[in-house]
């Protein structure tokens, strides 16, 4: 009998008809739960572990989801009311069963656990978690929710949670609901049960580190199976909830679990973008920025391995394919988020990873400043550099975590990683040497690859980091300097050895040479900053530690000289640059100038002839458009070569090759004229002045005036703006003197002589100015030839000038070096030859210039008779008729007739200083010796005091540099009490402005002003501040504005002595510091003397100031100083001027009685080392003291031996 055939209409896959069960026929939908009774019947407990029991909780889950995520507001409101009644506590009358509905949930949960029904257990756990999540969003459920939390934390119910957390790792459907339930417990009502959850950490935190490592299987992810949420993604919110809601003590304990922190960040690159973003944000906001969590706990969280795991996000890419554009955007943002997180973490000391010196958690204490690197002991400083390297091998850095982490980064291949590394170097400079010492995997051997270029850029950026600021706790002072090896590694790291750098410079690839030259330039700049810092520390530290900083600076210079590449290689690079390699040429020229500036002992040993190169650059720059405001590469190369020429003694200014028409000096002079003497030509002008001064044996003023006269006569128009240097020379008091026979600047002739010497100077400009005229090449060749002859035969032309002077004056005069007159002698000698060898237009152009030159000299103090004589001789030698019109402008051949050559500035009303002439002689008088005039008395105080508000009109830095603060301090010395009080108030405002200023020397100036205020605040209403104290404070303010000032170190040490000054001991203290002790700089002893004498003179104005000097024994010490044979004449004159100032302040009697001036002066004159002017000055001083002293006191003091002078004579001899 065959098998019965299958019914073709039966589409069921089963062979037999399924048995109907009550669950399939009585399935309850979500809409059926519309009352409390229905919900209670649905969740009523019965010992049924079949599908019906699970279906009930699925229905309840849908009920909760409709409340949490539904769209019908009315339905949601009614369902919330049903749920609230269901969870509400039962009345007290029903005491036999409290909360029967809630307890049914827990009974079903317990029954599922006892019957080992994992499916029902996971369903109930998920529903309970959803229940807490649903009611946590509504305030009405607060009491019911708290009661549920209390029930969950009962011992029996915690065991139910423990059962799920103890499941095998593969049963994620059991583990995940328990983690969600714990997350809701911790988060409910702002952490109501968070502490109790952690108190049961043996259950609640059990295996959390394991759960964080449960990621999806790669095979399951690649298959087409249904996607499941990994346990890690569920466990992370639970951990984040604890980090957000627990207090700082519990968070500290959680962070102490190393496995937990390692599991949090391990393989973080495999997480979705949203999870990574939330992880970094929670750690940053709730851990790192929590100030109550100790820094040590934060630091233990981030090991080098964890930092490396976070750094893998720089190359983040998720293997899962997502078509969501929002997800793609988040993926692109992850590297930036990771970079910002690591940057903040590794550079903020409060986050625990970076350890700063002297911090609370560093354990270093507040003993000393630790700058750049860990400070070595004084014994290590005495050891050699090789010994320092040997010690460094075993030394441990403070930031060991960052040290290991940086080795895993690839700054040469990733720009964000480079920025992170540089930021860490800037925050912890000690890691620079440690990083490159351990970074032995990469060599800097030259090879044109992307990796080499990236590493070169990284090295350049490292050296160019801002100079690190010293890190000191309050009250600390600098002790020992850091080790030389540590410092040199931040300047020239180990990969940049001299051998490797030299090999790079010898490559034929331009980009390699350019990178290396830029790196060495940055190293020189860093080296200069470090040396300046060492010098400033030596100036401001304690006396017994100055030598330590000086030795450290010397060691650094020696080590840097050895680590630098040989200068010959740089010279080769510079000379081999073609026209296409303009940037490399400019960089190599700059590097050569840095060698000359910072390592002159190394540069001068090399054979680098800059003359030929400078001549070629002059020619190249002259081809550029002079109207262009943008500096060209050739102009920058010229600037560097000028710096080299300023330091090199081998520049051949007065030689020219066979192919050159001009010498090096001539080319430079022509270039200055081409640039119209703008800012570009000022360095060149300074250098030409120096070269001219070395070649011509004249005084400094004469040298400057010669170059200024040449430049002014060569410009196209007399009205053309001159440079600041030339204007300063032509407008200075020295330049207004006569440069030939000390003749007067202006003079007048009588009408009988046929000349009138008064005329408007502008008429002279109109008569002799030709705006169309410009110097020709023949003129520059002629002028260059004359200057070369003058440089080579200066003595010969000095003699010619002497003879012509005698001829003009009809008497022989002493030979006085004069470069202007010597140049005229050369022109007078060469004039006949230039006419025979040059074309007529060229000779006419030269004669035009010569007229302009004579006019410029005459208008600025030239001897008119001498200039007229030179013009007449040149005119007599002129053979070209076209030149006569220029050389014979005035009627009757009188070149100077009708011209007033006086400078337009009004003469000073103040009497001249010692050694200058007050009454100018008239033209035509015999050349008699000028009579010496005594110094003028101090000016009396005026009624106006603009200094009280002047400093407010300027910036704080400008007010200090311009002296406005010093003038304000001097107002404390006023005789008016109101002025003194106003000045004190303004100084206090100035102190507040200094506190908020960005001026580099603000702290030192703030200390100075504060000490002045502290000194005079109690007595300013009664007495004025001593003149010496006020002037000294004003001058110290100017000294502090210039760290290179010779007295910068002594002023800083003076300010560190105390908060207030003892005025009675102030003058004697400064005299002892300067006169009796060695100077800060070896050759600046007399500069310090000059500064002190100036302060003493300006601070002596009243009898009270004179009395202060008398009590301080100032005069006795200064007379001893004046008797010194080695004292320069200028300082001798200043001492004599101070004696005059003492007599003006009523101290004539004191000079005679206390200082025995009348007997001391003959002894001083007998020494023989005194000039005639000083002899006259001391004689006049004796006359003044005799005329102005108290003769009754003098008569009593001398026992009648000085009675030959009329009694009580009070007349003062006027000079």
């Amino acid at each position: 009998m065959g098998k019965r055939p299958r019914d073709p209409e039966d589409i069921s896959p089963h062979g037999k008809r399924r048995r109907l069960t009550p669950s399939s026929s009585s399935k309850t939908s979500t809409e059926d739960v519309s009352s409390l009774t229905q919900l209670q019947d649905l969740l009523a407990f019965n010992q049924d572990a079949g599908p019906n029991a699970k279906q009930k909780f699925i229905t309840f889950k849908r009920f909760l989801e409709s409340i949490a995520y539904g769209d019908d507001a009315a339905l949601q409101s009614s369902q919330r009311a049903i749920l609230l009644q269901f969870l509400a506590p039962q009345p007290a009358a029903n005491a036999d069963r409290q909360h029967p509905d809630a307890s049914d949930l827990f009974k079903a949960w317990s029954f599922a656990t006892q019957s080992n029904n994992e499916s029902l257990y996971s369903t109930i756990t998920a529903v309970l978690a959803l229940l807490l999540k649903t009611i946590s969003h509504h305030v009405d459920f607060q009491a019911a929710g708290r009661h549920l939390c209390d029930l969950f934390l009962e011992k029996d119910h915690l065991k139910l949670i423990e059962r799920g957390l103890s499941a095998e790792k593969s049963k994620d459907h059991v583990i995940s609901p328990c983690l969600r339930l714990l997350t809701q417990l911790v988060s409910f009502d702002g952490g109501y049960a968070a502490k109790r959850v952690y108190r049961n950490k043996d259950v609640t935190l059990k295996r959390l580190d394991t759960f964080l490592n449960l990621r999806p299987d790669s095979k399951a992810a690649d298959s087409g199976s249904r996607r499941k949420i990994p346990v890690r993604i569920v466990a992370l919110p639970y951990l984040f909830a604890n980090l957000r809601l627990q207090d700082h003590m519990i968070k500290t304990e959680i962070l102490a679990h190393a496995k937990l922190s390692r599991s949090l960040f391990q393989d973080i690159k495999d997480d979705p973008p949203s999870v990574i973003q939330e992880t970094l944000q929670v750690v940053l906001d709730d851990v790192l920025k929590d100030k109550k969590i100790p820094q040590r706990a934060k630091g233990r969280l981030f090991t080098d391995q964890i930092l490396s795991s976070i750094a893998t996000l720089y190359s983040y890419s998720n293997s899962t394919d997502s078509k969501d554009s929002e997800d793609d955007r988040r993926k692109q943002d992850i590297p930036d988020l990771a970079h910002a997180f690591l940057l903040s973490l590794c550079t903020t000391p409060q986050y625990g990873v970076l350890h700063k010196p002297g911090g609370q958690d560093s354990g270093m204490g507040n003993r000393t400043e630790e700058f750049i690197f860990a400070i070595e002991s004084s014994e290590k400083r005495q050891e050699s550099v090789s010994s320092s390297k040997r010690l460094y091998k075993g030394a441990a850095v403070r930031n060991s975590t960052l040290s290991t982490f940086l080795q895993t980064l690839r700054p040469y291949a990733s720009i964000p990683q480079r920025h992170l590394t540089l930021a860490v170097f800037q925050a912890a400079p000690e890691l620079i040497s440690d990083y490159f010492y351990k970074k032995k995997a990469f060599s800097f051997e030259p090879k044109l690859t992307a990796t080499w270029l990236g590493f070169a850029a990284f090295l350049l950026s490292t050296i160019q980091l801002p100079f690190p600021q010293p890190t000191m706790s309050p009250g600390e002072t600098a002790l020992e300097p850091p080790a030389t090896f540590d410092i040199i590694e931040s300047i020239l790291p180990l990969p940049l050895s001299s051998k490797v750098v030299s090999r790079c410079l010898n490559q034929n690839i331009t980009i390699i040479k350019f990178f290396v030259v830029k790196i060495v330039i940055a190293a020189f700049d860093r080296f200069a900053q470090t040396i300046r810092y060492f010098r400033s520390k030596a100036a401001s530290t304690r006396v017994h530690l100055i030598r330590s900083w000086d030795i450290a600076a010397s060691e650094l210079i020696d080590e840097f000289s050895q680590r630098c590449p040989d200068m010959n290689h740089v010279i080769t690079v510079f000379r081999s640059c073609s026209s296409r390699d303009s940037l490399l040429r400019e960089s190599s020229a700059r590097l050569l100038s840095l060698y000359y500036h910072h390592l002159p002992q190394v540069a001068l040993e090399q054979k680098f002839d800059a003359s030929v190169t400078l001549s070629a650059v002059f020619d190249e720059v002259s081809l550029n458009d002079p109207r262009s405001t943008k500096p060209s590469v050739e102009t920058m190369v010229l600037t560097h070569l000028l710096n080299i020429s300023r330091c090199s003694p081998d520049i051949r200014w007065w030689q020219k090759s066979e192919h050159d028409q001009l010498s090096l000096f001539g080319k430079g002079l022509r270039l200055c004229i081409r640039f119209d003497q703008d800012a570009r030509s000022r360095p060149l002008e300074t250098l030409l002045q120096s070269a001219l001064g070395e070649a011509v044996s004249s005084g400094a003023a004469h040298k400057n005036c010669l170059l200024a006269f040449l430049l002014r006569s060569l410009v196209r128009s007399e009205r053309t703006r001159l440079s600041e240097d030339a204007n300063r020379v032509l407008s200075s008091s020295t330049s207004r003197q006569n440069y030939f026979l000390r003749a007067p600047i202006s003079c007048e002739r009588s009408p009988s002589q046929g000349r009138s010497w008064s005329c408007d100077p502008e008429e002279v400009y109109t008569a002799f100015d030709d705006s169309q005229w410009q110097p020709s090449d023949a003129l520059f060749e002629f002028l260059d030839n004359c200057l070369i002859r003058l440089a080579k035969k200066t003595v010969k032309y000095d003699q010619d000038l002497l003879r012509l002077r005698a001829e003009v004056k009809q008497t022989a005069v002493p030979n006085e070096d004069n470069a202007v007159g010597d140049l005229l002698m050369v022109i007078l000698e060469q004039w006949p030859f230039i006419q025979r060898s040059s074309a007529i237009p060229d000779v006419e152009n030269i004669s035009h210039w010569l007229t302009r030159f004579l006019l410029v000299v005459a208008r600025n103090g030239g001897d008119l008779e001498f200039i007229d004589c030179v013009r007449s001789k040149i005119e007599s030698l002129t053979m070209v008729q076209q030149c006569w019109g220029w050389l014979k402008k005035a009627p009757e051949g009188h070149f100077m007739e009708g011209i007033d050559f006086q400078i337009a500035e009004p003469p000073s009303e103040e009497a001249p200083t010692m050694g200058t002439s007050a009454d100018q002689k008239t033209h035509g008088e015999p050349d008699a010796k000028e009579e010496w005039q005594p110094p003028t008395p101090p000016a009396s105080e005026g009624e106006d005091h603009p200094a009280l508000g002047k400093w407010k009109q300027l910036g704080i830095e400008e007010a200090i540099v311009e002296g406005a603060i010093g003038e304000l301090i001097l107002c404390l010395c006023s005789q008016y009490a109101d002025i003194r009080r106003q000045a004190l108030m303004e100084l206090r405002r100035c102190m507040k402005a200094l506190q908020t200023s960005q001026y580099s020397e603000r702290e030192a100036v703030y200390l100075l002003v504060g000490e002045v205020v502290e000194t005079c605040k109690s007595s300013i209403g009664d007495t004025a501040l001593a003149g010496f104290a006020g002037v000294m404070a004003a001058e110290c303010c100017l000294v502090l504005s210039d760290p290179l000032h010779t007295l910068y170190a002594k002023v800083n040490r003076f300010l560190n002595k105390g908060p207030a000054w003892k005025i009675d001991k102030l003058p004697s203290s400064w005299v002892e510091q300067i006169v009796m002790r060695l100077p800060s700089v070896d050759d600046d002893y007399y500069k310090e003397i000059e500064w002190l004498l100036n302060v003493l003179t300006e601070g002596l104005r009243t009898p009270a100031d004179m009395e202060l000097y008398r009590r301080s024994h100032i005069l006795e010490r200064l007379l001893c100083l004046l008797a010194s044979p080695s004292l320069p004449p200028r300082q001798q004159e200043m001492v004599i001027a101070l004696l005059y100032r003492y007599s003006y302040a009523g101290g004539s009697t004191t000079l005679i009685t206390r200082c025995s001036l009348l007997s001391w002066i003959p002894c001083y004159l007998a020494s023989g080392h005194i000039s005639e002017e000083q002899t006259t000055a001391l004689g006049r001083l004796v006359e003044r003291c005799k005329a102005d002293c108290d003769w009754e006191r003098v008569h009593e003091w001398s026992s009648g031996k000085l009675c030959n002078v009329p009694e009580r004579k009070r007349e003062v001899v006027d000079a």
Side-chain angles (χ1 to χ4, degrees), residues 804-817:
L804 187 59
R805 282 173 171 172
E807 180 182 343
V808 173
K809 297 298 181 180
Q810 301 299 326
T811 57
V813 296
N815 182 22
E816 299 178 3
D817 293 336

Side-chain angles (χ1 to χ4, degrees), residues 1156-1166 1178-1179 1181-1182:
S1156 299
L1157 188 67
L1158 301 183
S1159 58
W1160 181 87
I1161 289 180
C1163 298
Y1164 175 63
L1165 296 177
L1178 290 175
L1181 178 63
V1182 171

Side-chain angles (χ1 to χ4, degrees), residues 618 621-627 638 662 664-686 688 706-718 720-723 726 770-777 779-781 783-784 787 845 849 852-853 856:
F618 278 155
V621 175
S622 62
L623 299 177
N624 296 335
D625 186 5
R627 295 171 296 179
L638 176 60
L662 300 177
L664 193 60
F665 187 90
K667 290 183 178 181
L669 182 63
R670 183 176 61 182
L671 190 60
C672 284
I673 301 303
R674 181 174 176 81
F675 285 149
D676 287 339
Q677 295 179 282
D678 58 6
R680 294 172 291 177
S681 65
R682 291 173 189 171
L684 181 57
E685 288 181 27
T686 304
L688 293 179
L706 174 57
L707 183 61
F709 292 165
L710 290 174
L711 295 175
R712 190 162 186 175
S713 63
L714 286 171
V715 293
R716 292 187 57 183
S717 174
E718 227 6 71
T720 303
R721 177 182 56 83
L722 291 177
S723 67
D770 183 4
S771 59
Q772 301 299 325
W773 175 86
Q774 60 181 1
S776 62
D777 293 339
L779 170 59
F780 282 109
E781 293 181 18
L783 185 57
D784 184 57
L787 291 172
N845 188 275
W849 166 79
R852 294 162 61 90
F853 181 70
V856 170

Side-chain angles (χ1 to χ4, degrees), residues 404-600:
T404 308
F405 166 62
L406 291 179
Q407 297 297 322
T408 63
L409 297 179
R410 302 173 69 240
Y412 49 84
S414 172
I415 294 179
Q417 293 186 42
R418 182 191 308 169
H419 291 166
L420 174 61
T421 307
L422 295 175
V424 174
F425 284 167
Q426 186 174 355
E430 64 164 347
L431 295 177
I432 298 178
S433 59
D434 177 78
Y435 177 84
F436 289 106
Y437 185 81
K438 296 177 180 178
K439 196 71 173 179
K440 299 178 180 179
F442 186 84
S443 174
F444 199 61
E445 293 293 335
K447 43 192 172 183
L448 189 57
T449 61
T451 303
W452 188 92
L453 293 176
F455 195 67
F458 170 61
L459 284 172
L460 178 60
S461 301
T462 301
I463 300 174
Q464 288 178 338
L465 285 174
F467 191 70
Q469 296 297 325
T471 304
M472 286 191 298
S473 298
E476 286 185 327
T477 56
L479 295 180
E480 290 292 332
T484 304
F485 175 74
D486 290 337
I487 303 175
I488 199 64
E489 282 305 303
S490 67
I491 300 174
L492 277 175
L494 274 179
L496 298 174
S497 63
S498 178
K499 182 178 179 181
V500 173
V501 174
S502 299
R503 190 177 294 114
C504 293
L505 293 175
N506 292 325
Q507 293 292 310
N508 295 326
I509 305 174
T510 302
I511 188 65
I512 292 180
K513 293 188 290 186
F514 181 74
F515 257 112
V516 173
V517 169
K518 282 292 186 182
I519 288 174
V520 180
I521 289 175
F524 266 98
D525 294 339
R526 183 88 169 195
F527 167 74
Q529 294 177 353
T530 307
I531 290 298
R532 285 196 296 268
Y533 174 78
F534 275 37
R535 299 300 187 196
S536 63
K537 282 298 177 185
S540 60
T541 190
R542 300 174 184 174
V543 178
H544 65 281
L545 294 174
I546 294 178
R547 180 171 176 78
S548 177
W549 286 94
D550 290 338
I551 293 176
S554 301
E555 289 180 358
L556 181 59
I557 293 174
D558 296 340
E559 181 65 15
F560 184 75
S561 303
Q562 297 176 8
R563 297 283 289 271
C564 275
D566 193 349
M567 186 177 167
N568 286 329
H569 299 296
V570 185
I571 296 174
T572 303
V573 172
F574 177 73
R575 290 175 175 172
S576 63
C577 291
S578 62
S579 58
R580 297 176 299 176
D581 303 331
S582 57
L583 293 178
L584 178 59
R585 190 183 185 206
E586 185 273 333
S587 300
S588 55
R590 180 185 176 189
L591 180 55
L592 289 175
S593 67
L594 292 175
Y595 269 98
Y596 276 93
H597 184 71
H598 297 296
L599 297 177

Side-chain angles (χ1 to χ4, degrees), residues 99 126 322 446 473 575 580 860 866 911 913 1139 1211:
H99 311 292
S322 176
S473 298
R575 290 175 175 172
R580 297 176 299 176
N860 292 276
F866 180 84
T913 57
L1139 295 176
E1211 292 186 9

Side-chain angles (χ1 to χ4, degrees), residues 810-1033:
Q810 301 299 326
T811 57
V813 296
N815 182 22
E816 299 178 3
D817 293 336
N818 194 309
V820 179
D822 290 346
L823 179 60
L824 290 176
M825 294 299 99
V826 181
I827 294 174
L828 188 61
E829 178 190 71
Q830 296 298 315
W831 184 245
F833 302 100
I834 192 64
Q835 295 181 81
R836 291 194 295 267
S837 61
S838 301
I840 293 178
D842 294 334
V843 178
E844 184 180 2
N845 188 275
I846 295 174
S847 62
H848 190 166
W849 166 79
L850 184 56
T851 304
R852 294 162 61 90
F853 181 70
L854 292 175
L855 176 62
V856 170
V857 174
R859 289 191 65 253
N860 292 276
D863 185 350
L864 305 182
E865 289 289 340
F866 180 84
I867 296 175
D868 201 9
C869 178
V870 172
R871 186 205 58 81
S872 299
K873 287 183 176 293
I874 294 177
E875 183 181 358
S876 64
L877 296 175
T878 302
M879 297 176 289
V880 180
Q881 295 182 359
Q882 288 83 346
C883 300
W884 293 347
W886 291 109
L887 297 173
K888 192 175 181 180
K889 285 285 184 181
E892 302 179 3
H894 298 295
F895 172 69
M896 302 300 167
E897 184 172 350
I899 302 176
D900 181 9
F901 294 99
Q902 187 172 5
I903 301 295
E905 298 179 11
S908 175
E909 297 180 358
E910 296 182 0
T913 57
M914 182 167 47
T916 60
S917 176
D919 300 325
Q920 297 180 346
K921 300 179 293 181
T922 59
H923 187 76
E925 290 182 356
D927 185 29
K929 184 173 181 63
E930 298 176 358
E931 184 178 1
W932 177 87
Q933 297 295 332
T936 58
S940 59
E941 182 181 0
E943 296 182 358
D944 297 331
H945 295 78
L948 293 173
K950 181 180 178 181
W951 73 275
K952 296 180 181 179
Q953 304 172 3
L954 307 172
I956 192 66
E957 180 177 358
E958 187 178 357
I960 295 173
V961 176
E962 295 295 333
I965 302 299
E967 295 175 2
L968 179 60
I969 295 175
L970 289 177
C971 291
L972 296 175
C973 306
S974 173
Q975 60 181 339
Y976 306 109
D978 293 340
I979 299 299
R980 297 196 300 267
R981 293 190 184 97
Q982 293 181 39
L984 187 63
M985 294 175 61
E986 293 297 328
L987 284 175
R988 287 172 175 165
R989 295 190 182 100
C990 180
M991 292 176 65
K992 294 182 179 180
L994 283 168
Q995 287 180 325
T996 59
S997 171
Q998 299 298 324
Y999 182 47
S1000 58
E1001 300 296 331
R1002 62 185 181 279
E1003 296 180 356
V1005 178
Y1006 177 84
L1007 184 61
L1008 171 65
V1009 177
E1011 292 185 5
V1012 172
V1013 172
E1014 188 69 21
T1015 301
C1016 60
K1017 66 179 182 180
S1018 59
S1019 59
I1020 198 65
D1022 301 329
T1023 59
L1025 183 66
F1028 175 82
V1031 175
M1032 184 272 300

